[in-house]
Amino acid sequence: MNARGSGQPQATRFLRTTGQHATIENDTLVEGGFILSIGGAEQSHVNLADPSEIFYEYLRRIGHVVDLAAEPGVPISALHLGAGALTLARYIQATRPGSEQYAVELERELLDFVLQKLPMPDGATLTTHIGDARDALAELPAQVMFDVVILDIFSGPEAPAHIACREFYEEAAGRLRPDGVLIVNVGDEPALTLVRSQVAALRQAMPDVAAFAETGMFAGRYPGNIVLVGTCKPWSPDWTAQLLARGPHPATVLTGVELDGITG
């Protein structure tokens, strides 16, 4: 089942940075659901009635990784590099009330638009920052550290060189607490060129790395998303078991020597 709007945008905003229009419309298939589209392409989905329910598969996978970052229900500190419709920020607030979150978005109009039309729930602690992800990371106060850093700005084989590199991941890892995780969503074509380069960069920057996706993605059958996870300590086999159990199915988690086939 795919998200489907009403055909009539509920609201529209022009985004000056990209020169595109963003629209928010009701999702007729999900009660309480809304779809954010940019330039006519669906970009995010939000379920205001139940933010713990995530529509897009790759975002559900990221949510399941976040679930492992601390004991269930325990508040965490999270940094979102690439805000979208704040789907994951809403998920964390719903599943871990009291969490402290930061969101960085390059498009000023987009973040304002989303928060105006789809406000965060009462009680949420969210600090927003407009600007480049790497610049914003450097500008955070030195004492601010995170349990989870989520990077969700790669949408194809082309990626900003100053972010898709070992140095950026080292800087992001430097913002993690001892048990923290760095989660990177990589949208790529079947050749997985960007995925390969980012696995290699993450491996240089962090003690351990895992890749989590729909099984067919690793066979290079079609374009899609692979979630990369960098950890500050050795990857736990129990995490693999939990992620495979939670899905979405069919799912595969690659770690250690299994990732050699990705990096070559």
Side-chain angles (χ1 to χ4, degrees), residues 165-210:
C165 63
R166 171 182 57 82
E167 292 80 7
F168 171 76
Y169 291 134
E170 288 175 342
E171 293 168 15
R175 289 289 184 167
L176 290 172
R177 294 186 171 128
D179 290 334
V181 294
L182 171 59
I183 305 170
V184 183
N185 172 52
V186 184
D188 207 356
E189 299 298 326
L192 301 183
T193 302
L194 182 59
V195 169
R196 296 177 196 279
S197 67
Q198 297 317 291
V199 168
L202 264 176
R203 279 179 145 182
Q204 292 175 327
M206 302 201 69
D208 215 343
V209 175

Side-chain angles (χ1 to χ4, degrees), residues 16-259:
R16 287 181 292 179
T17 300
T18 61
Q20 296 178 308
H21 282 85
T23 63
I24 293 175
E25 57 186 319
N26 295 320
D27 179 359
T28 59
L29 298 181
V30 178
E31 185 176 356
F34 293 86
I35 302 163
L36 168 68
S37 298
I38 297 177
E42 289 185 16
Q43 198 269 352
S44 297
H45 185 281
V46 170
N47 185 346
L48 293 187
D50 185 0
S52 68
E53 291 290 331
I54 300 179
F55 191 90
Y56 291 154
E57 284 194 3
Y58 85 90
L59 287 176
R60 290 211 302 275
R61 296 185 199 281
I62 293 177
H64 293 327
V65 176
V66 173
D67 291 342
L68 302 177
E71 291 298 315
V74 174
I76 61 173
S77 179
L79 172 63
H80 305 265
L81 300 174
L86 298 167
T87 303
L88 289 168
R90 300 171 200 274
Y91 176 82
I92 291 173
Q93 174 61 22
T95 58
R96 299 179 178 278
S99 293
E100 185 175 3
Q101 303 191 72
Y102 291 71
V104 176
E105 175 57 52
L106 187 62
E107 290 270 15
R108 178 181 300 276
E109 291 84 8
L110 178 60
L111 197 52
D112 289 345
F113 182 48
V114 167
L115 288 172
Q116 178 187 7
K117 301 300 181 182
L118 304 173
M120 290 289 290
D122 292 341
T125 301
L126 178 71
T127 301
T128 60
H129 185 100
I130 304 299
D132 175 82
R134 189 167 183 178
D135 291 343
L137 191 67
E139 292 166 4
L140 286 169
Q143 71 274 16
V144 176
M145 303 292 284
F146 299 97
D147 299 296
V148 176
V149 174
I150 302 170
L151 177 68
D152 188 10
I153 61 175
F154 299 153
S155 59
E158 299 295 328
H162 70 295
I163 292 176
C165 63
R166 171 182 57 82
E167 292 80 7
F168 171 76
Y169 291 134
E170 288 175 342
E171 293 168 15
R175 289 289 184 167
L176 290 172
R177 294 186 171 128
D179 290 334
V181 294
L182 171 59
I183 305 170
V184 183
N185 172 52
V186 184
D188 207 356
E189 299 298 326
L192 301 183
T193 302
L194 182 59
V195 169
R196 296 177 196 279
S197 67
Q198 297 317 291
V199 168
L202 264 176
R203 279 179 145 182
Q204 292 175 327
M206 302 201 69
D208 215 343
V209 175
F212 179 32
E214 190 275 326
T215 300
M217 277 300 300
F218 294 110
R221 296 174 184 166
Y222 34 73
N225 300 82
I226 292 180
V227 177
L228 305 181
V229 185
T231 58
C232 297
K233 58 184 181 181
W235 180 265
S236 168
D238 181 59
W239 279 25
T240 294
Q242 290 193 55
L243 291 176
L244 291 178
R246 296 179 187 192
H249 306 290
T252 293
V253 176
L254 300 181
T255 60
V257 295
E258 298 169 326
L259 272 179

